[in-house]
Structure formats: C-alpha cells, structure tokens
C-alpha cells in the first residue's frame, strides 16, 4: 500500500507542474499572437497613410484612432473606401474582432466615430455590396458638438 502512495506523489510532482507550465505557455502564447496582430494592423494602417495612429484591442472589439486633416478629406465615396480599407485590414490582421470603431479626429476639433463589422468592409472592397448598402451598415457617432462632417 505504501508503494501506491509513493507512485501517486511522484506522478503529482511531475504531472501537476507540467500541466501548469502548458497552461501558462498557452495563455502567454495567445496574448503574444494578439499583440502581434495589433502591431501588424498598426503597421499596415500607418503604411496606408493614417497619421497619429493608435490601435487598441478590448475583447472582440478594436478601436482605431487617427488624425484626419479636413483639407485631405475628399468626397463621401473616398471616405467610404477609406473606412472599408481600414475594416478589411482589421479583418485580415485580427480575424476574431467582431466590431471595429474607427475614430476620426479632424484637425478642426471635430471627432466622428464610425462603428462597423470588419467583414462589411471586405464585402464593399470586393464589390459584394453597394456603396449605399455599405453606408447603411455603418453606424456614425459624432463625439463632438457642432456641424457634422461626413
């Protein structure tokens, strides 16, 4: 009977630390993958031309904040393409994200947040949905007072 207890102790001394090590490494590895995706997204968005950029991930949502000079805005179609491109980058770099918040901080002090599902941006870029359908799927939230800039 003493032999049985000593075998259990040996198994406990070996198995328990092994299970703990695997658990810790899997948690750290998952966080590293998310961080790598976040950094990769930030790099792609910076290469795309977004200035004073920040990317933050919280659960299954990502928030992207950047400065948008009013003088470089272009028309509504140009802005929709820009938002769709940002969303498609999110879809590619952070596939687990279900909601993207794109916060445009205009250089005149206005702030507009556009919320959307990243796959809608992919659908628009690939011409699976029309400009009108894409715009209907976007949620616009003005975060400052004053005239809306869209």
């Amino acid at each position: 009977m003493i032999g049985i207890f000593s075998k259990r102790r040996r198994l406990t001394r070996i198995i328990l630390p092994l299970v703990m090590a695997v658990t810790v490494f899997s948690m750290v590895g998952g966080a590293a993958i998310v961080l790598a995706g976040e950094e990769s997204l930030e790099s792609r968005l910076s290469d795309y031309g977004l200035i004073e950029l920040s990317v933050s991930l919280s659960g299954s949502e990502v928030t992207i904040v950047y400065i948008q000079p009013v003088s470089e805005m272009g028309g509504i179609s140009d802005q929709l393409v820009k938002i769709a491109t940002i969303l498609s980058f999110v879809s590619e770099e952070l596939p687990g994200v279900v909601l993207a918040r794109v916060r445009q901080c205009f250089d005149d002090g206005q702030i507009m947040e556009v919320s959307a599902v990243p796959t809608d941006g992919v659908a628009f870029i690939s011409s699976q949905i029309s400009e009108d359908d894409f715009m209907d799927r976007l949620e616009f939230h003005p975060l400052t007072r004053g005239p809306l800039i869209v």
Side-chain angles (χ1 to χ4, degrees), residues 11-67:
L11 281 175
T12 303
R13 287 183 194 163
I14 294 170
I15 300 291
L16 186 59
L18 183 61
V19 168
M20 289 174 57
V22 168
T23 302
V24 168
F25 285 129
S26 66
M27 288 169 49
V28 170
I33 290 168
V34 167
L35 182 59
E38 201 172 329
E39 289 173 354
S40 179
L41 175 62
E42 192 164 343
S43 175
R44 285 187 74 184
L45 292 171
S46 180
D47 291 346
Y48 182 61
L50 301 188
I51 54 175
E52 295 187 39
L53 171 68
S54 74
V55 175
S56 61
L57 187 64
S58 177
S60 62
E61 294 184 9
V62 66
T63 301
I64 299 158
V65 181
Y66 68 96
I67 300 294

Side-chain angles (χ1 to χ4, degrees), residues 9 13 25 37 39-40 44 59 75 85 93 96 106 118 123 128 149:
R9 276 192 203 140
R13 287 183 194 163
F25 285 129
E39 289 173 354
S40 179
R44 285 187 74 184
T85 302
E93 299 298 334
F106 296 95
Q128 294 174 348
I149 301 174

